Amino acid sequence: MSDAVLTAKSGHVLTITINRPDKRNAMNAGVVAGIAAGWRAAHADDDVRVIVLTGAGDKAFCAGADLGGGQSFFQDLSKPTSDYADLLRLAQNGTKPSIARVNGTCMAGGMGLLCMTDMAVAADDVVFGLPEVKVGVFPMQVLSLLQRIVPRRLVAEWCLTGEPFGPEEARAAGLVNHVVPRAELDARVDWLVGRLVDKSPTAIRRGKYAMRAIEAMSFDEAIAFTEGQIALTAATEDAKEGIKAFQEKRKPVWTGR
């Protein structure tokens, strides 16, 4: 794995840290590859139940693409897809819950990393933004996820003006779940993690699969799909254990099966 990205496992949590604080944790090919490798490693480890994505230091979560050195957007145009787009695809198809720990500036492509996670906690002094129009481009790939989360008129304002905005506006728009004082950031992330790791890994896995699948479905398609999914989920070992534990008035022991 690239030195530009660090991974650390603690209990049921795998933390992926962008490790370029001197570059405001800007993305290059190594960062994208490192995050993707971390995502795959988390899904390959049955003991991992939650992924946390963050940046090193306290100044930046991710300032977007590293535009220095003439490697604008680090894309090989001979390939039909970009590594960054493939990373967003990987995260969208993932079946383990993820949390963005937004510890500092979150700009441009960093907004895409934020949007690809399921939940987000931000420090109350973080600056967000989509400044691509200021350098003659547009947050094209970020839009694929952003427009599914944030109201369209806010998306238009953020993308077309390129001007920064604060964490409370981000929270009100649904971009982040929680905004807390910087000193409380880790505690709130840990609190959210705790509300995930004690739940059924199987139910979460199948639930994330269903949530992804029905996004593009009509109501009739979605209700037909999900009535089959609930029957399948109810037949799993975790579901049987959960119901038995409820009846016996005890905490369930999840196997993730």
Side-chain angles (χ1 to χ4, degrees), residues 1-2 4-5 7 16 29-39:
M1 189 171 293
S2 169
V5 173
T7 60
I16 301 172
V31 168
V32 174
I35 296 173
W39 229 263

Side-chain angles (χ1 to χ4, degrees), residues 23-185:
K23 298 290 186 181
R24 299 173 73 217
N25 294 322
M27 287 184 292
N28 58 13
V31 168
V32 174
I35 296 173
W39 229 263
R40 293 189 186 97
H43 282 77
D45 187 342
D46 289 342
D47 195 45
V48 173
R49 298 187 184 180
V50 181
I51 302 167
V52 174
L53 177 63
T54 192
D58 58 8
K59 293 183 178 179
F61 171 74
C62 176
D66 187 346
L67 302 182
Q71 298 180 359
S72 181
F73 301 101
F74 48 88
Q75 183 170 347
D76 180 353
L77 296 180
S78 69
K79 295 172 57 180
T81 63
S82 71
D83 291 343
Y84 178 69
D86 286 342
L87 172 60
L88 301 188
R89 291 184 181 98
L90 176 68
Q92 284 301 286
N93 290 319
T95 55
K96 294 192 177 183
S98 54
I99 301 170
R101 175 187 175 272
V102 189
N103 56 305
T105 298
C106 182
M107 295 277 179
M111 289 276 284
L113 300 183
L114 168 60
C115 290
M116 81 180 195
T117 59
D118 297 306
M119 291 158 277
V121 181
D124 61 1
D125 56 354
V126 168
V127 177
F128 298 84
L130 292 159
E132 283 88 339
V133 290
K134 296 180 180 181
V135 295
V137 289
F138 204 77
M140 299 292 188
Q141 296 165 106
V142 177
L143 279 176
S144 302
L145 298 177
L146 185 67
Q147 287 194 164
R148 297 172 181 269
I149 298 171
V150 175
R152 292 289 291 272
R153 288 190 181 274
L154 269 178
V155 171
E157 180 181 343
W158 294 348
C159 292
L160 299 177
T161 69
E163 296 301 326
F165 57 94
E168 285 301 336
E169 184 175 350
R171 187 191 60 78
L175 187 61
V176 301
N177 298 76
H178 305 278
V179 173
V180 296
R182 176 166 293 277
E184 300 174 17
L185 181 61

